[in-house]
Amino acid sequence: MNSKVIYEKSKGLSDFHLSYCPGCTHGIIHKLVAETLVDLDLLERTVGISSVGCSALNYDFFSCDMQQAAHGRAPAVATGIKRVRPDNIVFTYQGDGDLASIGIAEAIHAAHRGENITIVFVNNAIYGMTGGQMAPTTLLGQKTTTSQDGRDAASQGLPLRVSEMMAQIPGATYIERVSVHDPKHVNKAKKALKKAFDIQNKKLGFSMIEFISTCPVNWGINPKDSVDWAVDNMIPYYPLGVYKDKTVGEK
Ligand SMILES: Cc1ncc(C[n+]2csc(CCOP(=O)(O)OP(=O)(O)O)c2C)c(N)n1
Ligand code: SF4
């Protein structure tokens, strides 16, 4: 009897087992990046830049060429690779601790210079890998190991809205915030990635897709409730949508 394959793992992912905790949405985001590169036929000439955080080992997970960067420096490494090899597709994969804290300067200046790269920015409102410290994106009132009474605006400032900030930078071409909490939003997130990589392929400049993501382990809630927590708490503060699209004129 002939069998028909209706679903298979993307060729953009290797055979390594992902190292993420149950309920962590890093895995879904990896799948979308991999599928998008395959769908656009870009995989063979893509170089990804791993950062520091739970996704640090993803140089093993993606099947394209990969390079590891020091904490926060992925956009600088991506800049170097892209300038030397402008026909390669270059993306960084960065958490909110990596991008919005130690690496905020590199991200801003890469956008400001209009580097023709794509940033995949994974915002889970916490430092996951190091055990749940407060990130710039931690929500007000959110308890972390370094904000044990909950984040307080008076002493720790308001959570940083990175997409809104990056959209103000004249050199940035495309900025969108997406979520992967249900199939409809997963499909939308994939469209956003497609748009970003297509912009880069057409040499139209800097793009960043911010993903609302979960960290059940450090949030201290189970995987199902983590998805609900992200919808109920993160999306109201970090609204989804396109923040900048220069391909249809300045906004
Ligand atoms: C120079 C330097 N400072 C600090 C660290 C410790 N460190 C490792 S991962 C990390 C934060 C990771 O958080 P995030 O980027 O949000 O990624 P997640 O693990 O949540 O996916 C920090 C501070 C480091 N590795 N290098
Ligand atoms: S610690 Fe958090 S971000 Fe890291 S893999 Fe586990 S759930 Fe994901």
Side-chain angles (χ1 to χ4, degrees):
M1 199 172 83
N2 286 338
S3 60
K4 190 177 162 204
V5 176
I6 52 167
Y7 181 82
E8 62 183 344
K9 188 174 177 177
S10 171
K11 303 226 171 343
L13 292 171
S14 72
D15 288 335
F16 271 77
H17 286 283
L18 300 189
S19 51
Y20 303 113
C21 310
C24 177
T25 44
H26 266 304
I28 298 175
I29 300 165
H30 281 49
K31 170 183 133 81
L32 293 182
V33 171
E35 287 179 352
T36 303
L37 292 172
V38 171
D39 290 352
L40 295 177
D41 201 18
L42 298 175
L43 189 68
E44 294 303 316
R45 58 187 173 98
T46 295
V47 183
I49 318 294
S50 309
S51 58
V52 172
C54 285
S55 60
L57 301 178
N58 68 9
Y59 47 74
D60 280 336
F61 304 155
F62 289 111
S63 59
C64 57
D65 284 335
M66 296 294 290
Q67 172 67 51
Q68 172 77 58
H71 204 9
R73 310 298 177 241
V77 174
T79 297
I81 292 174
K82 186 73 182 188
R83 287 190 178 199
V84 172
R85 302 184 64 91
D87 292 329
N88 280 102
I89 297 297
V90 180
F91 76 92
T92 71
Y93 188 105
Q94 301 176 260
D96 48 326
D98 188 85
L99 184 148
S101 190
I102 192 170
I104 193 74
E106 279 76 5
I108 287 176
H109 285 286
H112 193 51
R113 294 188 305 268
E115 299 295 344
N116 191 29
I117 61 172
T118 300
I119 290 182
V120 176
F121 171 45
V122 181
N123 178 3
N124 59 13
I126 207 159
Y127 285 18
M129 184 197 199
T130 42
Q133 295 83 2
M134 191 183 75
T137 45
T138 294
L139 295 176
L140 283 184
Q142 187 182 340
K143 292 185 179 163
T144 70
T145 55
T146 50
S147 59
Q148 293 187 7
D149 296 325
R151 184 181 186 148
D152 165 44
S155 63
Q156 288 138 347
L158 293 169
L160 190 61
R161 291 183 171 118
V162 174
S163 286
E164 287 83 336
M165 184 182 67
M166 297 290 263
Q168 300 307 311
I169 298 175
T173 298
Y174 193 78
I175 309 288
E176 180 168 354
R177 184 184 289 124
V178 298
S179 175
V180 290
H181 62 267
D182 63 22
K184 182 177 144 206
H185 286 86
V186 168
N187 288 338
K188 232 176 159 193
K190 190 166 169 186
K191 279 196 186 126
L193 275 174
K194 263 191 173 158
K195 170 109 184 175
F197 282 119
D198 191 48
I199 283 172
Q200 183 181 161
N201 196 28
K202 291 177 175 151
K203 302 195 189 312
L204 295 176
F206 180 92
S207 53
M208 185 188 85
I209 308 299
E210 174 178 350
F211 287 80
I212 299 296
S213 193
T214 57
C215 181
V217 167
N218 289 298
W219 292 354
I221 32 186
N222 69 42
K224 159 87 179 64
D225 292 347
S226 293
V227 172
D228 295 342
W229 191 89
V231 171
D232 295 343
N233 297 280
M234 290 187 72
I235 293 177
Y237 189 82
Y238 298 117
L240 307 181
V242 177
Y243 283 86
K244 184 165 196 184
D245 184 358
K246 264 208 233 173
T247 65
V248 291
E250 286 281 351
K251 279 186 183 169

